[in-house]
Amino acid sequence: MDEMFSGWETAPGISKKMKLQKIHIIAFAVLALSACSIDKHEEIIDTENPMTFSNIIDGGETPLSRAASKPLDSGFLVSTYKLFGTPGMQTVMYKYEAGHTYSAGEGHRWNYVGAAGAAPLNLYQTQYERYWDLSAFPYRFNAISPCPKDAGNNLITGYELSGEKLTIPDTEIYYSQSCTDGVLNLTTEKAIAGEKIIAQVSRDALGEDLDLLLPQFNADGDVIAKYTQISSSSNLTRYVALPFHHINCKVRFAIFSEVDMSSVEEPLTINNVAITASTADDDFLYKASGFNATATYLDGDFNKRWATEGWRTLINNTTKTYDLRNAYSRAKAYFFDLPITGANAMDDGTPGGLLQIPQPGVKLNVKFSINNEHYNFPLTFTRSDSTVKTSFDWLMGCRYTYYIIIRSLYPFEIQVTATIEPWVTVKSNPIDTDLEQ
């Protein structure tokens, strides 16, 4: 078998220059209390520029997304710091709860100002208006959504959200999905039920906002920066948009032919598809719980891990078949984690893929048959320096798509490419953050 593997493709929209079609949970504060209402963390420097989180698109009595018109009915917890990373760093907000309100005059807004337990926000603590200090950049905003409160309006213990530490308790569980003949071992809806999603944004003295959970990649799929600029303006006191991200990631696999085989009379049946995963240490993670990070959330890790010794099956299609004649372009590719017919989406409303635990050094192996010919090979790709990479690093909040391209059947020749992109639609029960900035 003559096999050829090629390099990594970086999906459009992952560079610093891109206009992100990102996941934005958006917030706005209302001037509800007087400027003299302050707490011990901060002195008021500027009483004319309150700190706000961007406004929600007004669509009647239900908060709506401009793009998808999906309801947003849960809030978030946010901690804010000025002079972040300097000896003079100060806390502006510590575990402030932001909640949604609506009025005919103001429309939909995210509010964080009010007394504990008072309508309409029913905040778990009393919170005050906060103001920008133009002499105190950079600012850092760390957030968790939904706000981790219990039925009694008490903040759930075990969560930390400070300038130097993020802690999510072991009650938060992350899963690896597998798929057998188009059926998931664990539905995505169940896997992410109650899931906490996180955001981390920095604003500097030039007015640049950086998403610190959206890395940039080169053509080889290597991280070249652990941030992406999401906005820039000379208006230093404009609203802050918080793009929320999943802690887990998604992976999907597809096959198509580079050669038009539609004129072939006999079916070219692809079956017996098996895709397995392992690591160099034979400890592929299939489950994890809790999450801990220091100042850089992207470098965080899980508190507890469950691993498979050897190889773990991700795709196992024994009865499901495909006709290669119909997969004659990338747009017509077969995705092994989806039914042959039906919408190209999982039950969480996002583009297809299997939930996976972020982890480094993942090795992948593929087996399938075309009619009576059997093929078995590792997924690798050739870097720009002509070296061959045999493993992949899966990062939180990303979706990885591996394409197996049939370039020739006789002799058999394949090409393997991959794309990496943001997991662009975030849903967390009961919150939908598919909102525009």
Side-chain angles (χ1 to χ4, degrees), residues 36 98 112 158 175 194 241 269 285 320 365 401 418:
C36 62
Y112 61 82
Y175 298 95
T269 303
L285 297 180
K320 185 178 174 183
N365 194 79
T401 303

Side-chain angles (χ1 to χ4, degrees), residues 127-199:
Q127 298 174 172
Y128 305 98
E129 192 78 84
R130 316 312 281 140
Y131 294 82
W132 290 97
D133 180 352
L134 298 182
S135 66
F137 289 91
Y139 275 79
R140 173 67 62 87
F141 301 86
N142 300 330
I144 299 176
S145 180
C147 181
K149 296 197 305 183
D150 62 20
N153 203 35
N154 301 305
L155 198 64
I156 298 173
T157 59
Y159 286 87
E160 181 54 74
L161 185 68
S162 67
E164 300 294 337
K165 187 176 183 181
L166 168 69
T167 301
I168 296 177
D170 285 336
T171 51
E172 184 78 7
I173 301 176
Y174 308 90
Y175 298 95
S176 166
Q177 288 177 314
S178 61
C179 184
T180 300
D181 291 320
V183 179
L184 296 172
N185 68 323
L186 179 67
T187 66
T188 305
E189 181 180 14
K190 180 178 179 180
I192 65 172
E195 175 196 30
K196 300 299 183 293
I197 50 181
I198 59 177

Side-chain angles (χ1 to χ4, degrees), residues 277-285 307-311 359 361 363:
S278 187
T279 66
D281 296 326
D282 291 331
D283 57 355
F284 181 82
L285 297 180
T308 298
E309 293 185 8
W311 292 84
Q359 53 192 301
K363 300 184 296 182

Side-chain angles (χ1 to χ4, degrees), residues 57-75:
I57 303 304
D58 193 348
E61 296 185 359
T62 302
L64 298 177
S65 154
R66 182 199 306 269
S69 296
K70 297 177 181 177
L72 177 68
D73 52 9
S74 186

Side-chain angles (χ1 to χ4, degrees), residues 229-244:
Q229 180 180 308
I230 54 176
S231 67
S232 179
S233 172
S234 59
N235 179 9
L236 300 181
T237 61
R238 69 191 186 278
Y239 63 77
V240 178
L242 297 176
F244 280 81

Side-chain angles (χ1 to χ4, degrees), residues 334-351:
Y334 287 124
F335 288 90
F336 294 138
D337 55 298
L338 297 172
I340 295 177
T341 59
N344 188 23
M346 305 294 278
D347 58 359
D348 66 342
T350 69

Side-chain angles (χ1 to χ4, degrees), residues 98-413:
H100 163 258
T101 60
Y102 172 81
S103 68
E106 295 181 335
H108 295 285
R109 304 231 179 241
W110 284 108
N111 294 336
Y112 61 82
V113 179
L121 292 176
N122 194 32
L123 301 172
Y124 82 93
Q125 64 176 359
T126 298
Q127 298 174 172
Y128 305 98
E129 192 78 84
R130 316 312 281 140
Y131 294 82
W132 290 97
D133 180 352
L134 298 182
S135 66
F137 289 91
Y139 275 79
R140 173 67 62 87
F141 301 86
N142 300 330
I144 299 176
S145 180
C147 181
K149 296 197 305 183
D150 62 20
N153 203 35
N154 301 305
L155 198 64
I156 298 173
T157 59
Y159 286 87
E160 181 54 74
L161 185 68
S162 67
E164 300 294 337
K165 187 176 183 181
L166 168 69
T167 301
I168 296 177
D170 285 336
T171 51
E172 184 78 7
I173 301 176
Y174 308 90
Y175 298 95
S176 166
Q177 288 177 314
S178 61
C179 184
T180 300
D181 291 320
V183 179
L184 296 172
N185 68 323
L186 179 67
T187 66
T188 305
E189 181 180 14
K190 180 178 179 180
I192 65 172
E195 175 196 30
K196 300 299 183 293
I197 50 181
I198 59 177
Q200 190 171 48
V201 170
S202 172
R203 177 172 295 176
D204 64 20
L206 298 177
E208 291 189 355
D209 284 5
L210 303 180
D211 182 350
L212 303 180
L213 293 178
L214 185 62
Q216 299 174 58
F217 301 87
N218 63 17
D220 292 327
D222 302 320
V223 174
I224 57 176
K226 291 185 176 181
Y227 62 84
T228 294
Q229 180 180 308
I230 54 176
S231 67
S232 179
S233 172
S234 59
N235 179 9
L236 300 181
T237 61
R238 69 191 186 278
Y239 63 77
V240 178
L242 297 176
F244 280 81
H245 298 262
H246 289 279
I247 291 176
N248 50 12
C249 63
K250 272 194 170 184
V251 178
R252 62 198 315 223
F253 303 90
I255 190 169
F256 68 93
S257 172
E258 195 175 61
V259 181
D260 186 355
M261 300 182 182
S262 58
S263 61
V264 177
E265 294 183 0
E266 295 297 325
L268 296 172
T269 303
I270 305 172
N271 57 12
N272 297 318
V273 178
I275 300 177
T276 54
S278 187
T279 66
D281 296 326
D282 291 331
D283 57 355
F284 181 82
L285 297 180
Y286 66 90
K287 182 180 176 182
S289 69
F291 189 79
N292 298 281
T294 54
T296 305
Y297 290 2
L298 195 63
D299 294 333
D301 203 355
F302 300 100
N303 186 35
K304 293 182 180 178
R305 300 156 163 258
W306 287 261
T308 298
E309 293 185 8
W311 292 84
R312 182 174 180 84
T313 299
L314 302 183
I315 302 288
N316 185 29
N317 291 339
T318 57
T319 61
K320 185 178 174 183
T321 62
Y322 316 81
D323 190 339
L324 186 60
R325 296 177 301 173
N326 298 325
Y328 51 83
S329 68
R330 181 171 299 212
K332 298 292 185 179
Y334 287 124
F335 288 90
F336 294 138
D337 55 298
L338 297 172
I340 295 177
T341 59
N344 188 23
M346 305 294 278
D347 58 359
D348 66 342
T350 69
L354 301 177
L355 290 171
Q356 298 298 327
I357 308 299
Q359 53 192 301
V362 176
K363 300 184 296 182
L364 297 167
N365 194 79
V366 177
K367 296 179 182 180
F368 60 81
S369 300
I370 300 179
N371 291 348
N372 293 320
E373 298 292 332
H374 307 290
Y375 306 98
N376 183 354
F377 52 90
L379 280 184
T380 66
F381 71 92
T382 302
R383 302 168 58 91
S384 56
D385 61 3
S386 298
T387 61
V388 177
K389 191 170 183 178
T390 59
S391 64
F392 307 89
D393 295 337
W394 291 348
L395 301 182
M396 59 183 288
C398 292
R399 187 178 66 163
Y400 299 85
T401 303
Y402 298 93
Y403 289 95
I404 302 165
I405 306 170
I406 307 297
R407 304 192 66 184
S408 171
L409 283 178
Y410 308 105
F412 184 72
E413 182 182 333

